[in-house]
Amino acid sequence: MKTIGLPKALLYYHYHILWKTFFDALKVPYVESKKTTREMLEKGKEKCIDETCLSMKIFLGHIASIKNQCDCILIPRIYSIEKKEQVCTNFNALYDLVRNVYPKVSIINYNVDVKHHHSEENGFIHLGKQLGFSKKESKNAYKIAKKKEKEHNQLLEEQGRKKMHSKKTKILLLGHPYNLEDDLIGKRIISYLKDKDIEIIYSYEVPKEKVNTCVQKISPKVHWTMNKELLASFIYFKDHVDGTILLTAFPCGPDSLTNEMILRKKGKNKVLLLTFEDLNSDVAILTRLESFLDMLKGGIHL
Amino acid sequence: MKAYLGIDIGSISTKGVIIDEENRILASSYLWTEGNPIQAVKNVLNELEKKVKDKDIKILGVGTTGSARKLIGTMLGACSIKNEITAHAIGTLSKYPSVRTILEIGGQDSKIILLEDGIVTDYAMNTLCAAGTGSFLSSQAKRLGIDVKDFGPIALTSKHPTNIAARCTVFAESDLVHKIQMGYEKKDIIAGLCYSVASNYLNNVAKGKKIVGQILFQGGVSKNIGVKKAFEDLLKTEVLVDADGHLMGALGSAILAKKNSKNEVFAFSLKNSKFETAGIECKGCPNHCEVIVIKKDGRKIDSWGNRCEKGSLIH
């Protein structure tokens, strides 16, 4: 049986439960890449053009770190997961991009494009077929995986709800999961905030069924599915937290649009925008973070 | 008499003040950092010591701010190491209790602080771009062959400031060269530069912020009367510049030191110790963290920058 490599970046953070449960159900072995290191980022930078976002550079670095430990790497092509919407164009291009950057790496792929009638389920059936499983076997494994994913999401939502009532200073950390969870990006902020005994609510803890109604309060039509969750989480949590930190990787197209929407509609809520680039120093981020915390909960007086 | 020391170590200049318990400035010092914050602080301490030599004072707390706050704070055993936003807000509030907006343009960064009822409610700093900061002005002064100190008075003599593209420093610079070659008068170009700094600031840093009075303009660039006038013209309201505007960060950190004082007496003789710093690239893991080690008289007193376990942001 082939061993599948899962690079711990970008879509991994959206789909890792689904992927891993699916492969477990079919008894397909897989390996995950390690935590992001600066070395990975350097490798990734060498491989891509300057204009790509930091998260993409990290992703390409992960591929380099894992390519010799597996037989093929899972890279889906995701175009749309809602009918009239789209996800970041990087996710459309990921498969082709990696194929060109790493011509020798073997890729296993599935396609999700709801707009053009390619459902996620069909994608996974196709994925199973490439691994030698029947339609029935794959369908079954997908069902199990989907159930696990739902349970996981409910767990996250429950966590979010609980934290909303915490007595500590609360901060909504808003950003794509692949930025929040990355060791070079969000983890640095998270450990700093935790050290200051701050309750952190993550944007991905917003109840999924609230996303469409909440997002209406900011804009009736948001084209970018993944950013809808970010906007909705702001509306859902904003009055229950002391402040919100927008965490973004430079240069992210959809984020530049939705961050601006939040900043313009924040009203009295306190919002800090932190942009991550592949710079070496933490000092600039630290200054902004520190002064933001000073401002919360009544601020510092004379 | 009890006193407190505040030091603001910026990229361009280092400021130090000694205050009494009523937040009054007893002595101050303002020197260039010249790329050597440790030496600059020693010089500042020297000056301050001379100024308060006749007074019977005991310094019971040290506060630092500015981009080298951590380094100098460690060196001096500071009881308060605070970011510039908080320090500037506190310092300004002590002199202007009803201030609502602080415009600050320094050598390397610029920021806006909004206050309401004596509390910081919002702030912004220039992001990845250093457009329109003091270093831009001084490099253009060099290009025009004029001392940056004369910029303000010359700008005021201009009746028709040249329009210089303000969005981005790079474009502003090429536009400036173009205007010089076109034959515009120097004073008009200089006035245009002052306007471009002010409008750049309002378009980038203060974007979307409601600027209401009382407005204070601080930082090194506030000494440039041409930029002050440009702000007043663009905002159509009065903008105040305090004579001690450059000391507000140091004043604020002295006040914060007073609040956090551990009642340990600070001795000026510390400046005679030999401090060394070194940047080491840690090879322990693929992260290659840049670790800063600080030594006092040959002995290591602290290090930071390591991302392992605790992470450098924690230190």
Side-chain angles (χ1 to χ4, degrees), chain A residues 37-39 184 188 192 195 266 270 272 280 282 286-288 290-292 294-295 298 300-302, chain B residues 69 82-86 90 93-94 119-123 125-126 259 286-287 307 312-314:
Chain A
T37 61
R38 194 148 275 283
E39 195 183 2
L184 284 188
R188 288 148 71 185
Y192 178 82
D195 190 57
K266 69 182 165 76
K270 306 237 187 307
L272 172 73
N280 274 306
D282 283 340
L286 180 66
T287 302
R288 284 161 179 81
E290 200 188 294
S291 33
F292 186 66
D294 281 352
M295 198 167 77
I300 288 185
H301 302 254
L302 235 192
Chain B
R69 62 181 179 277
K82 266 284 173 207
N83 60 80
E84 300 90 306
I85 302 277
T86 307
I90 297 287
L93 276 170
S94 73
I119 294 168
V120 178
T121 55
D122 201 1
Y123 72 91
M125 290 172 87
N126 55 341
K259 283 174 79 170
N287 271 329
R307 201 167 283 155
S312 68
L313 281 168
I314 290 169

Side-chain angles (χ1 to χ4, degrees), chain B residues 11-294:
Chain B
S11 58
I12 305 288
S13 61
T14 299
K15 286 79 68 175
V17 297
I18 294 175
I19 59 162
D20 63 10
E21 285 201 285
E22 309 296 317
N23 301 338
R24 280 183 303 240
I25 296 175
L26 300 174
S28 71
S29 166
Y30 176 51
L31 297 170
W32 300 124
T33 308
E34 288 172 333
N36 187 350
I38 293 180
Q39 193 51 48
V41 167
K42 284 184 176 178
N43 295 346
V44 162
L45 289 177
N46 241 336
E47 258 196 49
L48 289 174
E49 189 182 23
K50 272 182 205 149
K51 284 183 185 170
V52 297
K53 173 166 83 200
D54 314 328
K55 296 178 188 140
D56 174 33
I57 62 161
K58 252 190 198 152
I59 290 173
L60 291 177
V62 181
T64 57
T65 188
S67 42
R69 62 181 179 277
K70 170 94 190 160
L71 175 69
I72 304 303
T74 308
M75 178 178 140
L76 301 180
C79 57
S80 156
I81 300 176
K82 266 284 173 207
N83 60 80
E84 300 90 306
I85 302 277
T86 307
H88 273 271
I90 297 287
T92 312
L93 276 170
S94 73
K95 285 189 107 177
Y96 299 88
S98 56
V99 59
R100 293 291 306 276
T101 309
I102 301 172
L103 315 172
E104 224 253 17
I105 306 185
Q108 197 180 50
D109 61 8
S110 45
K111 45 194 167 280
I112 180 165
I113 308 174
L114 305 180
L115 303 105
E116 222 176 303
D117 304 323
I119 294 168
V120 178
T121 55
D122 201 1
Y123 72 91
M125 290 172 87
N126 55 341
T127 44
L128 299 166
C129 160
T133 53
S135 47
F136 168 67
L137 273 183
S138 47
S139 69
Q140 297 319 316
K142 217 170 265 167
R143 178 190 292 281
L144 294 165
I146 290 169
D147 191 338
V148 75
K149 282 181 194 139
D150 303 327
F151 244 56
I154 296 175
L156 289 188
T157 62
S158 161
K159 286 204 177 64
H160 308 285
T162 311
N163 198 2
I164 290 172
R167 262 260 164 243
C168 162
T169 306
V170 179
F171 294 145
E173 187 163 345
S174 56
D175 202 27
L176 174 88
V177 175
H178 172 69
K179 294 278 154 72
I180 295 171
Q181 305 299 65
M182 291 273 288
Y184 281 87
E185 255 190 280
K186 235 180 204 178
K187 62 177 185 190
D188 291 342
I189 289 178
I190 289 168
L193 268 177
C194 294
Y195 271 89
S196 94
V197 166
S199 71
N200 196 318
Y201 176 91
L202 294 174
N203 288 330
N204 288 316
V205 184
K207 181 182 63 179
K209 303 259 182 277
K210 217 170 158 188
I211 298 177
V212 287
Q214 195 181 35
I215 305 169
L216 269 120
F217 178 26
Q218 297 176 353
V221 177
S222 70
K223 300 282 165 203
N224 184 326
I225 192 161
V227 180
K228 173 186 180 275
K229 186 172 171 290
F231 268 124
E232 286 183 329
D233 288 352
L234 290 167
L235 293 169
K236 296 183 181 63
T237 172
E238 189 196 11
V239 173
L240 298 174
V241 174
D242 189 279
D244 288 336
H246 57 292
L247 297 175
M248 289 303 178
L251 176 60
S253 47
I255 295 170
L256 289 165
K258 188 181 79 178
K259 283 174 79 170
N260 296 316
S261 170
K262 296 192 184 78
N263 282 323
E264 286 163 13
V265 179
F266 170 80
F268 276 108
S269 59
L270 194 70
K271 67 178 194 296
N272 301 326
S273 298
K274 192 169 167 243
F275 289 96
E276 287 171 295
T277 56
I280 303 164
E281 192 173 296
C282 174
K283 297 267 197 267
C285 78
N287 271 329
H288 297 301
C289 298
E290 281 172 32
V291 183
I292 304 291
V293 179
I294 168 162

Side-chain angles (χ1 to χ4, degrees), chain A residues 12 29 32 34 37 41 55 57 65 102 115 127 129 154-155 159 178 193 214 229 236 266 269 302:
Chain A
Y12 173 90
E32 300 169 53
K34 302 249 162 25
T37 61
L41 173 61
S55 323
K57 290 172 185 162
S65 80
Y102 297 104
K115 206 173 184 172
L127 178 65
K129 208 168 154 190
Q154 278 165 350
L155 209 73
Q159 272 174 26
Y178 54 81
L193 292 176
C214 281
E229 183 180 290
Y236 186 77
K266 69 182 165 76
N269 296 293
L302 235 192

Side-chain angles (χ1 to χ4, degrees), chain A residues 153-297:
Chain A
N153 284 342
Q154 278 165 350
L155 209 73
L156 293 177
E157 290 163 20
E158 188 53 41
Q159 272 174 26
R161 258 194 296 275
K162 254 191 215 152
K163 286 188 279 189
M164 259 158 86
H165 303 292
S166 164
K167 294 265 183 304
K168 294 185 198 170
T169 302
K170 284 163 285 184
I171 283 188
L172 168 63
L173 200 58
L174 192 151
H176 294 290
Y178 54 81
N179 288 335
L180 300 187
E181 299 292 321
D182 195 280
D183 275 85
L184 284 188
I185 310 176
K187 279 281 164 69
R188 288 148 71 185
I189 304 295
I190 291 171
S191 63
Y192 178 82
L193 292 176
K194 283 201 171 149
D195 190 57
K196 297 268 183 286
D197 198 31
I198 280 166
E199 192 74 78
I200 311 168
I201 297 178
Y202 302 95
S203 51
Y204 55 73
E205 288 169 340
V206 63
K208 298 279 175 285
E209 79 271 8
K210 301 269 190 213
V211 168
N212 278 317
T213 46
C214 281
V215 83
Q216 293 293 323
K217 290 188 182 154
I218 288 199
S219 171
K221 199 170 178 311
V222 179
H223 189 62
W224 310 98
T225 310
M226 285 170 180
N227 282 69
K228 259 169 60 181
E229 183 180 290
L230 305 186
L231 292 174
S233 74
F234 179 69
I235 294 294
Y236 186 77
F237 289 118
K238 71 178 164 69
D239 296 326
H240 302 278
V241 293
D242 299 283
T244 300
I245 297 177
L246 311 178
L247 216 145
T248 189
F250 182 81
C252 176
D255 275 10
S256 65
L257 190 81
T258 53
N259 284 340
E260 193 62 33
M261 284 178 173
I262 292 175
L263 289 171
R264 287 189 191 189
K265 303 214 169 171
K266 69 182 165 76
K268 284 253 167 207
N269 296 293
K270 306 237 187 307
V271 181
L272 172 73
L273 170 63
L274 288 181
T275 308
F276 277 81
E277 218 212 10
D278 48 15
L279 29 79
N280 274 306
S281 142
D282 283 340
V283 178
I285 296 281
L286 180 66
T287 302
R288 284 161 179 81
L289 208 54
E290 200 188 294
S291 33
F292 186 66
L293 296 185
D294 281 352
M295 198 167 77
L296 303 180
K297 283 240 163 156

